[in-house]
Amino acid sequence: MSPRRSVAEARQTRADILARGVRLASKEGLEGLTIGRLATELDMSKSGVLGHFGSKEELQLAVVDAAAEIFTREVADKARGFPPGLPTLLAMCKAWVSYLERRVLPGGCFFTAAAAEFDDRPGRVRNAVAGLATVWNRDLYRQTRTAMTDGDLPADTDPDQLIFEINGVMLSLNNALQLHRDNTAPGRARRALGRLLGYPITALTLVLALRTA
Amino acid sequence: MSPRRSVAEARQTRADILARGVRLASKEGLEGLTIGRLATELDMSKSGVLGHFGSKEELQLAVVDAAAEIFTREVADKARGFPPGLPTLLAMCKAWVSYLERRVLPGGCFFTAAAAEFDDRPGRVRNAVAGLATVWNRDLYRQTRTAMTDGDLPADTDPDQLIFEINGVMLSLNNALQLHRDNTAPGRARRALGRLLGYPITALTLVLALRTA
């Protein structure tokens, strides 16, 4: 790397590489994402790309992190600012469906593809993917428990069961959109979630109004 | 291929290659399944393997077919012999959960992995995977409609919605088993399906008894 390049430029290049890497990996998987492939895509030298990451595994881990940042921006952050419990849970689900429906990443849900690819490849990448899924599920769990305490979900709700089924709806939505190009799927996902949560996931204003009544 | 080998031997070798190919592909995906890789695994020559398939794509298509045969044997066939409609639908779901729970293939559901891998790679393999999923969904749809006609499912049931949600439960089960090694997942799948169908999926004898009452 040329010493004349600034730290800012280097950081931008790293960000550019990762942005391209996430998009490619969402379609073709992480294993096929090689340093050489990215170098060609970005019209860089292999040593130029390698200089940012050191190894293919480090590149893959950085791509997983970049995908997590996109999910945080597009889903988790859009559920901020709502009262904890059911309003936040509805907001999380609403943003999650929207994220898949809008096809923010060309290959659909990055983590679904990465999980399918790495669930039988023990190692740091698998741990990162599983760990991030666990963190998100834990957030859903916490909001579910708060909703139960507030009386917005039945007291006999099994939070792990609810999260198992919410994940199922999202996986089915992603599968329907990506494999079958089925554009009725987002509506079906909303309908399923509405039944699971007891409120339409778009009814945030209604829920907030009812709670302050 | 040696002219002294019998047709039967050749067919057995092809079957052996495919059996190994399905197991490997369930863990590592179809793209990584090369003729060279299988040749090494089976202690054969590359030309020996290639002679059975002609090309990598033909090999992949044959592996998809072999995986479909396994699913037919382990799931679809186990739902035969029941009255059409709800009993068959329950039997299909029961066998499907059992298939995933028993980890018949080491990497979990072959079609989930193949769909994630190929949904962005247009071509014959993608068409084959999507086509087989569609055939299975169509079978579920037919049994659902029969169940509705028989009064065993509510008349206002939306069959496509039901199938969307059944698929979600199975995808969540596969994800929980493969990525999180979560052995509570089969029970959660049964609970979710029981709620979707109005009967525990293990209650086939109960359903049959009720129907003949």
Side-chain angles (χ1 to χ4, degrees):
Chain A
M1 196 165 78
S2 157
R4 283 191 295 279
R5 296 191 62 213
S6 68
V7 168
E9 278 183 331
R11 212 180 296 133
Q12 185 55 47
T13 304
R14 190 176 191 275
D16 291 342
I17 295 171
L18 288 177
R20 183 67 63 96
V22 174
R23 294 182 70 80
L24 269 176
S26 81
K27 292 196 296 180
E28 301 183 16
L30 277 165
E31 267 302 289
L33 191 72
T34 58
I35 293 196
R37 175 74 193 278
L38 272 179
T40 307
E41 284 270 328
L42 291 152
D43 203 31
M44 290 175 65
S45 68
K46 280 171 75 168
S47 55
V49 176
L50 193 66
H52 285 275
F53 299 105
S55 70
K56 183 179 174 184
E57 188 180 69
E58 290 295 337
L59 167 65
Q60 292 176 326
L61 288 168
V63 167
V64 170
D65 273 348
E69 273 176 38
I70 292 172
F71 187 87
T72 298
R73 185 187 74 219
E74 297 287 339
V75 184
D77 286 350
K78 295 192 175 184
R80 290 182 181 283
F82 291 96
L86 185 63
T88 296
L89 193 55
L90 290 172
M92 291 166 88
C93 288
K94 184 184 179 200
W96 198 354
V97 170
S98 168
Y99 167 72
L100 294 172
E101 181 180 26
R102 283 180 293 124
R103 292 175 167 90
V104 172
L105 290 174
C109 178
F110 174 91
F111 289 93
T112 301
E117 198 188 356
F118 274 83
D119 56 22
D120 287 289
R121 299 174 198 259
R124 294 171 68 203
V125 177
R126 186 195 189 285
N127 294 346
V129 173
L132 286 160
T134 298
V135 165
W136 176 245
N137 285 334
R138 205 174 289 159
D139 287 343
L140 291 168
Y141 185 97
R142 264 199 300 270
Q143 300 301 333
T144 300
R145 293 283 300 147
T146 300
M148 290 166 65
T149 306
D150 290 347
D152 290 328
L153 281 175
D156 65 351
T157 300
D158 178 343
D160 287 317
Q161 181 73 24
L162 181 64
I163 282 138
F164 174 89
E165 298 191 40
I166 289 172
N167 272 290
V169 172
M170 302 302 178
L171 286 164
S172 194
L173 170 58
N174 189 62
N175 179 63
L177 287 172
Q178 294 302 124
L179 185 64
H180 299 293
R181 303 286 179 227
D182 177 6
N183 288 321
T184 71
R188 300 201 180 286
R190 291 187 176 99
R191 215 159 298 142
L193 291 162
R195 244 194 29 255
L196 282 175
L197 297 171
Y199 288 94
I201 63 172
T202 46
L204 276 169
T205 41
L206 169 65
V207 169
L208 292 169
L210 286 171
R211 290 171 103 255
T212 53
Chain B
M1 198 165 76
S2 156
R4 283 192 295 277
R5 296 192 62 214
S6 68
V7 168
E9 278 183 331
R11 211 178 298 134
Q12 185 55 46
T13 304
R14 189 176 191 276
D16 292 340
I17 295 171
L18 288 176
R20 183 66 63 96
V22 174
R23 294 182 68 81
L24 269 177
S26 81
K27 293 196 296 178
E28 301 183 14
L30 278 165
E31 267 303 289
L33 191 72
T34 58
I35 293 196
R37 174 73 192 279
L38 271 178
T40 306
E41 283 272 326
L42 291 152
D43 204 30
M44 289 175 66
S45 68
K46 281 170 76 168
S47 55
V49 176
L50 192 67
H52 286 276
F53 301 104
S55 69
K56 182 178 174 184
E57 188 179 70
E58 290 296 336
L59 167 66
Q60 292 175 327
L61 289 168
V63 167
V64 170
D65 274 348
E69 275 177 37
I70 292 172
F71 187 87
T72 298
R73 185 186 75 219
E74 296 289 336
V75 185
D77 286 351
K78 294 193 174 183
R80 290 182 181 283
F82 291 96
L86 186 62
T88 297
L89 193 55
L90 290 172
M92 290 166 87
C93 289
K94 184 184 179 199
W96 198 354
V97 170
S98 168
Y99 167 72
L100 294 172
E101 182 179 26
R102 285 179 293 125
R103 293 176 167 90
V104 171
L105 290 175
C109 177
F110 173 91
F111 289 94
T112 301
E117 197 187 358
F118 274 83
D119 55 23
D120 287 289
R121 299 173 196 261
R124 294 170 69 202
V125 178
R126 184 194 192 287
N127 295 345
V129 173
L132 286 160
T134 297
V135 165
W136 178 243
N137 285 335
R138 206 174 288 159
D139 287 343
L140 291 168
Y141 185 97
R142 264 199 299 269
Q143 301 301 333
T144 300
R145 292 284 300 146
T146 300
M148 290 166 65
T149 305
D150 290 347
D152 289 329
L153 281 175
D156 64 353
T157 299
D158 179 343
D160 287 317
Q161 180 72 24
L162 181 65
I163 283 138
F164 174 90
E165 297 191 41
I166 290 173
N167 272 290
V169 172
M170 302 302 179
L171 286 164
S172 194
L173 170 58
N174 188 63
N175 180 65
L177 287 172
Q178 295 301 123
L179 185 64
H180 299 292
R181 304 287 178 227
D182 176 7
N183 289 319
T184 70
R188 300 201 180 286
R190 292 187 175 101
R191 214 159 300 142
L193 291 162
R195 243 195 29 254
L196 282 174
L197 297 171
Y199 288 95
I201 62 170
T202 46
L204 276 168
T205 41
L206 170 66
V207 170
L208 292 169
L210 286 171
R211 290 170 104 257
T212 54

